Amino acid sequence: MKILVLNGPNLNLLGQREPGIYGQTTLAEIEKALQQKAKGQGNELELRQSNIEGELVGWIQEARGSFDVIILNAAAYTHTSVALRDAIAASGVPTIEVHLSNIHAREEFRHKSLIAGVCVGQIAGFGANSYLLALDAAVNIKAKK
Amino acid sequence: MKILVLNGPNLNLLGQREPGIYGQTTLAEIEKALQQKAKGQGNELELRQSNIEGELVGWIQEARGSFDVIILNAAAYTHTSVALRDAIAASGVPTIEVHLSNIHAREEFRHKSLIAGVCVGQIAGFGANSYLLALDAAVNIKAKK
Amino acid sequence: MKILVLNGPNLNLLGQREPGIYGQTTLAEIEKALQQKAKGQGNELELRQSNIEGELVGWIQEARGSFDVIILNAAAYTHTSVALRDAIAASGVPTIEVHLSNIHAREEFRHKSLIAGVCVGQIAGFGANSYLLALDAAVNIKAKK
Amino acid sequence: MKILVLNGPNLNLLGQREPGIYGQTTLAEIEKALQQKAKGQGNELELRQSNIEGELVGWIQEARGSFDVIILNAAAYTHTSVALRDAIAASGVPTIEVHLSNIHAREEFRHKSLIAGVCVGQIAGFGANSYLLALDAAVNIKAKK
Amino acid sequence: MKILVLNGPNLNLLGQREPGIYGQTTLAEIEKALQQKAKGQGNELELRQSNIEGELVGWIQEARGSFDVIILNAAAYTHTSVALRDAIAASGVPTIEVHLSNIHAREEFRHKSLIAGVCVGQIAGFGANSYLLALDAAVNIKAKK
Amino acid sequence: MKILVLNGPNLNLLGQREPGIYGQTTLAEIEKALQQKAKGQGNELELRQSNIEGELVGWIQEARGSFDVIILNAAAYTHTSVALRDAIAASGVPTIEVHLSNIHAREEFRHKSLIAGVCVGQIAGFGANSYLLALDAAVNIKAKK
Amino acid sequence: MKILVLNGPNLNLLGQREPGIYGQTTLAEIEKALQQKAKGQGNELELRQSNIEGELVGWIQEARGSFDVIILNAAAYTHTSVALRDAIAASGVPTIEVHLSNIHAREEFRHKSLIAGVCVGQIAGFGANSYLLALDAAVNIKAKK
Amino acid sequence: MKILVLNGPNLNLLGQREPGIYGQTTLAEIEKALQQKAKGQGNELELRQSNIEGELVGWIQEARGSFDVIILNAAAYTHTSVALRDAIAASGVPTIEVHLSNIHAREEFRHKSLIAGVCVGQIAGFGANSYLLALDAAVNIKAKK
Amino acid sequence: MKILVLNGPNLNLLGQREPGIYGQTTLAEIEKALQQKAKGQGNELELRQSNIEGELVGWIQEARGSFDVIILNAAAYTHTSVALRDAIAASGVPTIEVHLSNIHAREEFRHKSLIAGVCVGQIAGFGANSYLLALDAAVNIKAKK
Amino acid sequence: MKILVLNGPNLNLLGQREPGIYGQTTLAEIEKALQQKAKGQGNELELRQSNIEGELVGWIQEARGSFDVIILNAAAYTHTSVALRDAIAASGVPTIEVHLSNIHAREEFRHKSLIAGVCVGQIAGFGANSYLLALDAAVNIKAKK
Amino acid sequence: MKILVLNGPNLNLLGQREPGIYGQTTLAEIEKALQQKAKGQGNELELRQSNIEGELVGWIQEARGSFDVIILNAAAYTHTSVALRDAIAASGVPTIEVHLSNIHAREEFRHKSLIAGVCVGQIAGFGANSYLLALDAAVNIKAKK
Amino acid sequence: MKILVLNGPNLNLLGQREPGIYGQTTLAEIEKALQQKAKGQGNELELRQSNIEGELVGWIQEARGSFDVIILNAAAYTHTSVALRDAIAASGVPTIEVHLSNIHAREEFRHKSLIAGVCVGQIAGFGANSYLLALDAAVNIKAKK
């Protein structure tokens, strides 16, 4: 099983960026933890980050046929991107929406996810652990098929 | 560590009720899987269900001092109950919001959670597995303190 | 054919409560008229009332397998209860929405019914007679199947 | 007692038009059933249909003094016509709002009735039977006066 | 100078229709008073009424070249007709909006006039006198050109 | 009969201020025309202007017992002043709302009048002539009593 | 004179629950202060608390004939319960709305009271003292009759 | 192949009516161009215009079985008519929505089309050419079946 | 302890102005009752009224250092004045919001208080007694410090 | 005449992506058909696709002086991009908005086009044929100048 | 060149009033800094402050012909005064909108400026320096003419 | 002191693009004027422009530690980009929002800035001079620290 972990804008700053909200773990540390856990499961995992909406769109498209599940933290684009939504629907790869913070407990404009409508489910608010939970969820989704 | 798993209205019908949306696992089966996993972790777990908003309020209040974490699937009350929100804030016990279906991908009136603002995080859309993921999340929250 | 007539909050006060809006017939008198009519049709009928949302949820759940049709006057809960909506969908029993007053001709907040989306139809504005018309409708629904 | 049954736009197509929503009974068959029932009650009944808002307005106006009750299925004009509302108020003839489908369970724009505010009550969702129930309601309204 | 006075739906019932709101003067009496006043001014005046939106549209179109000013009481169509708005803009004849009642002091849905945007001005709330004031306004508009 | 003509903020600039919208007649010229017409009717008339909301409130209050009708061009305060609304209701003096421009054909925020709900009627869009028409309306209102 | 003091969900936790918002006085202490003050006035007072909406509805209904005034702190149900509103209207007992915190200065969803429309008045923001002020208000209301 | 071209209110004034917005071509000239093009394609075409909503409804109904495609410029009724929407759905004839001006670039109230939900597609903003493009589209739709 | 009682627009008319809503007590009578009660408490009290928003703003500013509590009935300005809100925040003097009528039970536009966000609490609906209750509340606020 | 055909995000997946909505023709096939038709007209045509909003912005800017018309299918960016709108306005090149599906008949968030306000017209709902119709429209626009 | 600096309600308290938001500089100090800078530029400057909306309206009117530019900090009236907007439009004097705090980063109701639509530009968020920047902007505006 | 001046989409076209709105100065000319002024102040300044949201995000991130202040004209992304907002918050570099035109006086959708909530202040409407004013503001911000 192959899993693609995609990260949207500003997530490259994790650990430095507003640690009160997003925690002190860096994206590299998250990747390391994910790789370790994936390996333990016998799965392959690839993590990418981009600040560019269109690049994320492209990666989601390419996942078709190459990956079994996408774990997507679209960050700010969660609330503004119809293009990501359409990409997920187009790719047909089951996608899990992940957020470090509990977006439903923050500013009003972060309550609405434009991509939720085409995702399998959402995990939000558990910091770096949100990704690891999503990895478990991914395995489970795959198992059910 | 002691964990309280609370279930709101109509969840007693799980397995029979609209299986296309909510899956075929019964609440008893979910409880069994949770107990097994909790035991494996060396934790204690208690699961309750009620159709009555005020009874759920009461259970959340009583968790204060007796439980370390609440896993709450408030079902329909997620979208209409300020009383549950106030109870969670009053109890001070860290609470994880759980949903079987991806509420953000369903009818507009299910997108808004009145309790999210006082919960640690939200896990939605993974069927019965949402509960098991929440159990992992609970352990992690506890570990961080 | 077995029919369950459920009544929501404050309907126990019928006859006394704002007779200008709700009429002077008591719930007992309505039940009597319904029983008489049901008997004439060769049907069995049971009427219950509760002020507690969760109790109504429970009765709707139990109707599954025991009753052929539910006639439901959810009163105030019509406008605030997603739990009742979910219970109706879960029970799978055809449900007729009934109101004594014409809710669409009253305050704005009474125009919206949260349960209408899962009911067969709605009869509103004919006072106690709304129930009797619903009984006819119930027979007809049954006959069509 | 004389009853006027008015039908708005596209109801002349009943039976052919989207039978999944509106049923397979034609307007002629509905009229026949209504006439039969009215005769049994010793009442006189007249049924008309028009696609033209202004013609319906005119018929409602003329009902004043000639008919005791109006049964009105305004169809699409239910949601867009203030003129029908004003005509009903002007005529002073008690009017029962009727719909074949349960308008509250369909598209958002069909939930709002502009005429409900001046009608006695509403019966919606019982197919052709909605009309027959309205006839019973009409007799009851008359009886109360 | 030639003036066309157009009246929308239900205004044929004036005097009978809800006299508490619309007064006791009939449309015939209003016409008589208008004719008398117009004659005194040396003007020609024609009054028409229709319940049909499209017929009013046609009359407004025909006014082009035949009339100098239109006095329009669009009644219920004031709030729902874009067709009347377009007809006024298309005809190019200066149009004065008239209402018997003060529409801004009634139900919310009567506060918005769809035709106001293409009318010279609005006179509302003076009963039958609204028309006579509009006649004065019409003369003044003509004089200014 | 005594008539009070009140003018709100910026109307002292009439004739200079945006003549494309408000015309070229000054407030003094309007007063002159009104005085002349009032004299011809055998009525007494007083015109005042203030830029201060509270001063207008005071004048409306004082009109009680001293004036038979108020003609009020509240200008910008039309859209923002609940205080003027309350003053009109408190004074009990019949009040006619007047506007030089057709407020319903201008910016959205000028469509809503907070004072309309307590005024007899509204005359808008006829430039300086709006005042003269209101004087006629005032006489007519008085005559009806 | 007999006074019923009703308390909604989570008020049983007063003193412990978010003391920064709700103060440090317990419900028992409030009751004691109220009883003392009522006794001084020669009045009888009874205080009850429930987390269950329907139980509160029942108590309000029973107040009819047994109590002269209701002092109601509906807490979270203030913002979500039409059933309480209907119960107050049905009981006919003058009801005073009380809140510990100033609900109008908190989250947007606490600004709207669904029960205010049928209450005599509202006292909010004075902590435990809100109840004592309401007791004075109750005496005054009674005196006026 | 037979094509029905329907035109709504005020389109009979084309060429005269606000040529800055709608162009200088008359409806007769549009018909001529359409007939010529249809003949070249070996198709039959009929063009009608009405200011009356109900008449347009009737023509759409009659198209069933007589025409293969409808090209509909509903003009003002585009934004206000649910009756036209229902007629299109009822007729089952593929319908192409056409507008002379780009309705999405005009006043806010012209951005919403009530009929779009049941039309095949929309062509707007190309003046008289919108009709000719629609004719090409019609042929293509037919070809695909 | 020194208390400033401020009254907004139209409150000088109390007793005469719509007594059905505001009661028959004049402002002078209210002042007398307040002075008497304040004296009994050993407090000093000053009452002022103005129809001018800016004058009220000035008085609130001056209260800083001169008064311990402000009791403010902002009347119509409650719903429209950000300037009063800013003045209260700027003065830093604890302010109690008072209303004669229950503003939450009246027109929609009276439900929103722009000043509530910076006031200690609100007392509304008890007629002249609202002021006396506020005086008690003021003493209590002072005592707590 | 030179025509630039621009395609937004996910259109590179055409033919594979949700063929039920977008059809089975690939973008390469559309380009081929367009090139063939353009050649037949004696025109030059260039087609580009990008998933990156800013790249589309750049291409629109560069069209200034190099192309006579832009045919733009902005896909998801239609509903979220003010940058594209500004680019079109800045370039000054006449732009035709094209959509494969009828966006007005899909989810609510696809009904609003942010770019329509600066485009000549819109063609939506005809699948791959939408592009070919736009090519005809482009030629016609050019011819008119 | 003559510059008028106008200050709205509560700005007389600057330096004392919520220094966390508005800074510690007093209005007198701001005036001194402005005078010094204006003198350095060879310009004349006058600064006024009022809490009364109507007085500010009057000053803006009088600026016509006496001043070249207005620098306006309307404070709370920014969000509620149409009268100030109309005064600026009427005076015709170029006006620069100034705010000490960044109004767009504060409460929602401070995001909307009613006067922005008729001002040259806006400078907000730089504390006392906002005024000095506006003085530079004023000189530049003058220079461009 | 080092200052980064960032420019969003379409600003590379300045001088050519809609000069009526944006002026005739090119971005190169603005840069020249800024460099000259910065040099005079003894500061270092760098100006960049991109049409790609993600590239702007990246530059803002990199400013951390390299620049003291950011002057940002986000152009169209001002109204649609949460990613820029998050980048500013993450970088922690004080940012000044700049606009050539007065965005608050243009189309409704330009009134809302998504980035304002995390910027120091806003300067809008002074054409190229907005940038120079921002440079002064930047120096002042730095000086205060």
Side-chain angles (χ1 to χ4, degrees), chain D:
Chain D
M1 178 176 171
K2 296 188 58 178
I3 295 149
L4 179 61
V5 182
L6 293 182
N7 295 279
N10 297 304
L11 291 171
N12 53 327
L13 290 196
L14 268 192
Q16 308 160 249
R17 171 196 181 199
E18 300 171 280
I21 299 175
Y22 299 103
Q24 292 180 321
T25 321
T26 64
L27 194 56
E29 290 165 351
I30 289 177
E31 183 171 17
K32 204 172 148 190
L34 280 169
Q35 289 291 12
Q36 199 167 346
K37 181 163 192 169
K39 197 171 293 178
Q41 296 168 339
N43 291 324
E44 226 173 295
L45 182 148
E46 192 172 329
L47 184 147
R48 301 182 199 154
Q49 190 274 338
S50 175
N51 292 329
I52 299 177
E53 188 181 8
E55 195 166 24
L56 292 161
V57 166
W59 287 340
I60 293 169
Q61 291 182 357
E62 294 161 24
R64 191 184 185 124
S66 320
F67 290 92
D68 296 290
V69 178
I70 298 171
I71 292 172
L72 173 61
N73 182 347
Y77 292 143
T78 303
H79 318 297
T80 63
S81 176
V82 173
L84 283 178
R85 179 195 179 100
D86 286 356
I88 296 167
S91 80
V93 180
T95 302
I96 297 171
E97 187 182 352
V98 162
H99 299 284
L100 293 153
S101 63
N102 186 353
I103 55 171
H104 309 292
R106 297 179 63 196
E107 304 100 317
E108 185 71 25
F109 68 83
R110 293 195 207 270
H111 293 195
K112 178 79 192 160
S113 163
L114 292 186
I115 60 171
V118 294
C119 289
V120 174
Q122 187 181 100
I123 298 173
F126 305 100
N129 197 33
S130 289
Y131 287 88
L132 296 167
L133 293 168
L135 191 48
D136 280 329
V139 171
N140 190 273
I141 285 165
K142 191 70 193 170
K144 273 203 206 137
K145 298 208 170 176

Side-chain angles (χ1 to χ4, degrees), chain A residues 6 8 12 22 28 39 45 58 66-67 76 79 83-84 87 111 114-115 122 129 132:
Chain A
L6 293 182
N12 52 329
Y22 300 103
K39 197 169 292 177
L45 181 147
S66 321
F67 290 92
H79 318 296
L84 284 177
H111 294 194
L114 291 187
I115 60 171
Q122 186 180 104
N129 197 33
L132 296 167

Side-chain angles (χ1 to χ4, degrees), chain C residues 62-115:
Chain C
E62 294 162 23
R64 189 182 187 128
S66 321
F67 291 92
D68 297 288
V69 178
I70 298 171
I71 293 173
L72 172 60
N73 182 346
Y77 292 142
T78 303
H79 318 298
T80 63
S81 177
V82 173
L84 284 178
R85 178 195 180 101
D86 285 357
I88 296 168
S91 80
V93 180
T95 302
I96 298 171
E97 187 182 353
V98 162
H99 300 285
L100 292 153
S101 63
N102 187 352
I103 55 171
H104 309 292
R106 297 180 64 196
E107 302 100 319
E108 186 71 26
F109 68 82
R110 293 195 206 269
H111 293 194
K112 178 76 190 162
S113 163
L114 291 187
I115 60 172

Side-chain angles (χ1 to χ4, degrees), chain B residues 52-55 57-58 61 64 80 82-83 85-87 89-91 114, chain G residues 9-10 12-13 16-18 22 51-53 76-77 79-80 107 109-110:
Chain B
I52 299 177
E53 186 181 8
E55 196 166 22
V57 166
Q61 292 182 356
R64 189 184 187 126
T80 63
V82 173
R85 178 194 181 101
D86 286 356
S91 80
L114 291 186
Chain G
N10 298 304
N12 53 328
L13 290 196
Q16 309 160 249
R17 171 197 182 198
E18 301 171 279
Y22 300 103
N51 293 328
I52 299 176
E53 187 181 7
Y77 292 143
H79 318 297
T80 63
E107 304 100 318
F109 69 82
R110 292 195 207 270

Side-chain angles (χ1 to χ4, degrees), chain G residues 3-8 10-17 19 21-39 41 45-49 71-73 75 98-101 123 125-136, chain I residues 140 144:
Chain G
I3 295 149
L4 180 60
V5 182
L6 293 182
N7 296 278
N10 298 304
L11 291 171
N12 53 328
L13 290 196
L14 266 191
Q16 309 160 249
R17 171 197 182 198
I21 300 175
Y22 300 103
Q24 294 179 321
T25 320
T26 65
L27 195 56
E29 290 163 352
I30 289 176
E31 183 172 16
K32 203 171 149 189
L34 281 169
Q35 289 292 11
Q36 199 167 348
K37 180 163 191 170
K39 196 170 293 178
Q41 296 168 338
L45 181 148
E46 194 174 326
L47 183 146
R48 301 183 199 153
Q49 189 275 337
I71 293 172
L72 172 60
N73 183 347
V98 161
H99 299 285
L100 293 153
S101 63
I123 298 174
F126 305 100
N129 197 33
S130 289
Y131 287 88
L132 296 167
L133 294 168
L135 191 48
D136 280 330
Chain I
N140 190 274
K144 274 202 208 138

